[in-house]
Amino acid sequence: MDSTLTLVNPSPPTVLHFDSKSVIKTTVSYPDGRLAYNISHKTGTTALRIQVARGEEVVIVIEENEVFCDTVTIRGTKMKIKKWLKEQRVGDINTRLIDTQYGRFLWRVHPQYRLSVHDPHLNASSPLAYVDTEAPGPGLTLVISSEATPFTEEILASFIIQELTLERQEKISGVAYGVAYNSSIPF
């Protein structure tokens, strides 16, 4: 990434607004309201499909399988998720390492941003992409810096996988809390 270009004339980030808090069955728009992506779940299967709103071109397919490895297909290239989005521990923090043609980047759960992606070789406090938890509106907002724009689809696919994982963990945690709370109430 060219730091001279960034310092002299930084481009604005790409902002993607999800119309709901869920990353399944939603639409993703730019701030001006133009449709960017349509996310749909194919009924009766475990395949999650993201479609570019212009035309019918499917750019990302995420498949969760009960028997075989989960896969992600980005613009026709199919990969096992566990090899493409590798779990890695950095200190006491669990992260996911994403491999792109532009290098390796780290996704991590972040106290300010919920989820953020970082270049491990640069300043860790300055994310390349993050969830804007302060953004107005009912849904999630993903902000992708101009440096990360060339691999927006990789960031979007990995964000959906990470967000689904977080949603499931929060649901399990909430159920566990409810069970513990209910069992602590005397008869």
Side-chain angles (χ1 to χ4, degrees):
M1 294 183 213
D2 191 353
S3 61
T4 312
L5 176 67
T6 304
L7 294 173
V8 175
N9 190 13
S11 299
T14 300
V15 179
L16 299 172
H17 294 292
F18 290 71
D19 72 353
S20 72
K21 293 268 184 206
S22 175
V23 293
I24 299 178
K25 297 181 189 173
T26 189
T27 56
V28 182
S29 314
Y30 296 108
D32 63 6
R34 288 180 299 127
L35 196 57
Y37 299 94
N38 181 41
I39 302 174
S40 61
H41 184 73
K42 190 173 180 182
T43 308
T45 70
T46 58
L48 178 65
R49 292 184 172 272
I50 300 172
Q51 298 178 327
V52 173
R54 288 179 228 108
E56 294 297 317
E57 181 186 14
V58 176
V59 294
I60 301 167
V61 176
I62 299 168
E63 294 180 301
E64 295 179 329
N65 301 298
E66 291 181 20
V67 178
F68 301 105
C69 291
D70 295 343
T71 61
V72 61
T73 305
I74 302 173
R75 295 241 179 236
T77 303
K78 190 171 188 174
M79 302 163 278
K80 292 180 181 177
I81 290 175
K82 69 181 182 181
K83 289 189 176 187
W84 175 68
L85 191 59
K86 299 173 191 158
E87 289 187 37
Q88 182 174 342
R89 194 151 176 89
V90 177
D92 61 346
I93 300 170
N94 288 326
T95 65
R96 289 278 186 118
L97 185 66
I98 176 177
D99 280 319
T100 73
Q101 67 183 25
Y102 299 95
R104 290 181 156 184
F105 302 95
L106 289 173
W107 270 106
R108 58 183 252 209
V109 175
H110 195 282
Q112 179 183 355
Y113 304 120
R114 182 169 172 85
L115 285 168
S116 59
V117 65
H118 301 264
D119 184 335
H121 305 294
L122 297 177
N123 184 354
S125 65
S126 179
L128 292 172
Y130 61 92
V131 176
D132 185 352
T133 56
E134 308 275 321
L140 299 166
T141 298
L142 181 62
V143 179
I144 303 170
S145 70
S146 58
E147 295 90 358
T149 299
F151 53 102
T152 293
E153 289 166 356
E154 286 92 340
I155 288 177
L156 183 59
S158 58
F159 166 69
I160 290 168
I161 294 165
Q162 291 289 88
E163 183 61 30
L164 284 172
T165 301
L166 267 181
E167 285 177 13
R168 289 175 182 143
Q169 289 172 348
E170 289 166 351
K171 187 174 184 177
I172 289 168
S173 178
V175 168
Y177 175 77
V179 169
Y181 177 78
N182 285 337
S183 66
S184 68
I185 299 173
F187 291 101

